[in-house]
Amino acid sequence: MNRRHAIVALALTFLFLLVTRISTTAQSDSANLEEQIKQLERDRQNSFVHNDISALDRDTAEDYTTIGSSGKLSDKPQMMKNLKAGRTQVLSMDLSDMKARVYGNTAVLTGRAREVSVTEGQQQDEQVLFMRIFVKSNGRWQAVAYEQTPVAGK
């Protein structure tokens, strides 16, 4: 009987260690994926600052929509047209308080940003809260939606 208890105890110990290892690996994978989503946003904003139109075109889904801080709805063709025409220039973008949540092939990123930009010759310096949605398709993450809201009482 003691040998049987020892075997059961050993099996339970092994099972506990295996479950702990799987849980730790899953948490690590999740944290890595969340950091990857945050890096996608940093890279995206860097593309805006450096006017890297090809990177923005590649990393933006064809059915992309955005709602700006003024409440105006826009889409990818309009965004690309404005960038190519130099109508919109992002001078700097400071991101903070980013939180990524991943649900399968969809990621929701929220955060805070201070954006200094020039639109049609008028410089703006605004602080916003934002939400961006990414979808993974064919092994690549692309932005599909964006919304920003001015921070009240900056």
Side-chain angles (χ1 to χ4, degrees), residues 25-116:
T25 301
Q27 289 172 353
S28 176
D29 289 347
S30 176
N32 288 340
L33 189 51
E34 290 169 6
E35 187 54 41
Q36 180 185 355
I37 297 301
K38 292 176 188 178
Q39 189 59 48
L40 284 171
E41 185 64 21
R42 288 184 204 99
D43 293 345
R44 184 173 180 80
Q45 294 308 327
N46 191 46
S47 294
F48 275 109
V49 171
H50 292 96
N51 203 34
D52 189 345
I53 294 171
S54 64
L56 290 164
D57 187 39
R58 177 191 66 232
D59 297 335
T60 304
E62 292 305 314
D63 60 349
Y64 178 80
T65 57
T66 182
I67 302 171
S69 59
S70 66
K72 183 178 177 186
L73 180 65
S74 188
D75 58 15
K76 181 179 178 177
Q78 186 63 50
M79 178 185 81
M80 299 308 293
K81 179 180 173 186
N82 289 344
L83 290 169
K84 288 175 182 174
R87 185 170 168 229
T88 303
Q89 295 175 305
V90 178
L91 303 178
S92 68
M93 177 69 78
D94 296 316
L95 301 169
S96 62
D97 302 329
M98 288 194 294
K99 180 175 178 164
R101 296 178 310 278
V102 180
Y103 307 99
N105 288 330
T106 303
V108 178
L109 179 71
T110 57
R112 185 181 187 111
R114 177 174 177 230
E115 177 180 342
V116 179

